[in-house]
């Protein structure tokens, strides 16, 4: 068994070495070095290099390889709609864990629960999420709200409430929190309305197509 593993490991190492060698042979460094090496061979044939021609050829090859621009790494492939939405779902999962640990006044807590329910319905895997994934602006709006806005609302409320206990007076932090959550809920409703409108347009387009097809036949 050990012999088989060694043989397998040796074969893998050989393949990796061959791949690296092939990559280098196709690299700009090797091409530039080879071009300079050919110049060295030309000097050798004309007698310029003399008896030191191997040193001249090797030196010109090395110089060409050094001055050649390095290989640029391939740019990362942009995330597709599915990957982006999966990222938002992960953010939403972390947000759920965060808000479960905080205590909020009853009105704000109810508003936050409604907001979280709406986010969850939009992100639930299925045809609704598939429609959402086709609208990058809506995905961005949800991602921003889930990752930044909601945690900021809760965090600033807790901090402001602590200071208010020391120095009472001024506008209630609870009122600010309720207003912030209401604005975020309105934004989520606009996202929902936009998606619903897109589906309505799709339905109308199909109706028009069927009507026109019926008239042609």
């Amino acid at each position: 068994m050990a012999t088989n593993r060694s043989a397998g490991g040796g074969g893998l190492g050989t393949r990796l070495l061959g791949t690296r060698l092939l990559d280098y042979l196709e690299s700009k460094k090797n091409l530039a070095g080879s071009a300079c090496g050919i110049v060295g061979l030309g000097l050798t044939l004309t007698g310029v290099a003399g008896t030191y021609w191997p040193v001249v050829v090797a030196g010109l090859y090395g110089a060409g390889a050094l001055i050649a621009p390095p290989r640029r790494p391939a740019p990362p492939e942009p995330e597709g709609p599915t990957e982006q939405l999966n990222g938002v779902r992960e953010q939403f999962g972390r947000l759920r864990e965060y808000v479960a640990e905080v205590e909020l006044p009853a009105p704000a807590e109810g508003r936050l629960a409604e907001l979280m329910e709406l986010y969850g319905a939009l992100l639930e895997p299925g045809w609704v999420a598939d429609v959402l994934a086709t609208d990058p602006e809506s995905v961005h709006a949800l991602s921003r709200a889930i990752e930044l806005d909601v945690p900021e609302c809760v965090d600033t409320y807790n901090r402001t409430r602590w200071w208010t206990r020391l120095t009472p007076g001024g506008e209630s932090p609870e009122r600010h929190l309720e207003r912030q959550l209401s604005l975020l809920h309105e934004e989520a409703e606009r996202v929902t309305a936009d998606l619903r409108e897109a589906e309505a347009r799709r339905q109308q387009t199909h109706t028009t197509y069927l009507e026109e097809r019926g008239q042609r036949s």
Side-chain angles (χ1 to χ4, degrees), residues 18-173:
T19 301
R20 292 176 181 175
L21 179 59
L22 182 60
D23 288 343
Y24 179 76
L25 291 176
E26 296 176 347
S27 68
K28 293 181 179 179
K29 286 185 174 294
N30 181 56
L31 294 176
S34 298
C36 292
I38 291 173
V39 173
L41 290 176
L43 295 175
T44 300
L45 294 176
T46 59
V48 176
T51 58
Y52 297 101
W53 67 268
V55 177
V56 173
V57 173
L60 287 174
Y61 176 88
L66 286 174
I67 64 175
R71 174 180 292 182
R72 294 182 178 179
E77 295 184 2
E79 288 186 339
T82 302
E83 289 76 12
Q84 292 177 350
L85 211 57
N86 287 338
V88 179
R89 288 194 185 102
E90 292 178 3
Q91 296 170 356
F92 184 59
R94 291 192 292 270
L95 178 62
R96 274 178 165 167
E97 294 176 359
Y98 171 68
V99 299
E101 300 296 328
V102 298
E103 294 183 4
L104 301 176
E109 187 174 6
R111 190 46 126 181
L112 179 59
E114 294 175 359
L115 181 61
M116 297 292 287
E117 182 178 359
L118 185 51
Y119 288 157
L122 290 171
L123 294 173
E124 181 72 22
W127 69 267
V128 175
D130 293 340
V131 175
L132 173 63
T134 64
D135 188 347
E137 292 186 2
S138 296
V139 173
H140 173 70
L142 283 183
S143 176
R144 179 183 57 198
I146 291 171
E147 184 178 13
L148 300 174
D149 294 332
V150 175
E152 180 70 9
C153 291
V154 175
D155 187 54
T156 53
Y157 162 74
N158 284 323
R159 292 174 182 269
T160 306
R161 184 181 59 171
W162 188 88
W163 289 107
T164 303
R165 289 172 178 172
L166 294 180
T167 56
E171 193 166 2
S172 167

Side-chain angles (χ1 to χ4, degrees), residues 145-205:
I146 291 171
E147 184 178 13
L148 300 174
D149 294 332
V150 175
E152 180 70 9
C153 291
V154 175
D155 187 54
T156 53
Y157 162 74
N158 284 323
R159 292 174 182 269
T160 306
R161 184 181 59 171
W162 188 88
W163 289 107
T164 303
R165 289 172 178 172
L166 294 180
T167 56
E171 193 166 2
S172 167
E174 287 79 8
R175 183 175 300 176
H176 273 293
L177 177 61
E178 292 174 29
R179 179 57 179 155
Q180 291 167 353
L181 294 176
S182 295
L183 291 171
L184 289 173
H185 195 275
E186 291 172 6
E187 180 185 60
E189 287 181 329
R190 286 195 299 271
V191 169
T192 305
D194 290 342
L195 297 177
R196 182 175 63 243
E197 180 63 25
E199 287 298 286
R201 288 195 301 269
R202 178 185 176 189
Q203 184 184 40
Q204 180 60 46
T205 299

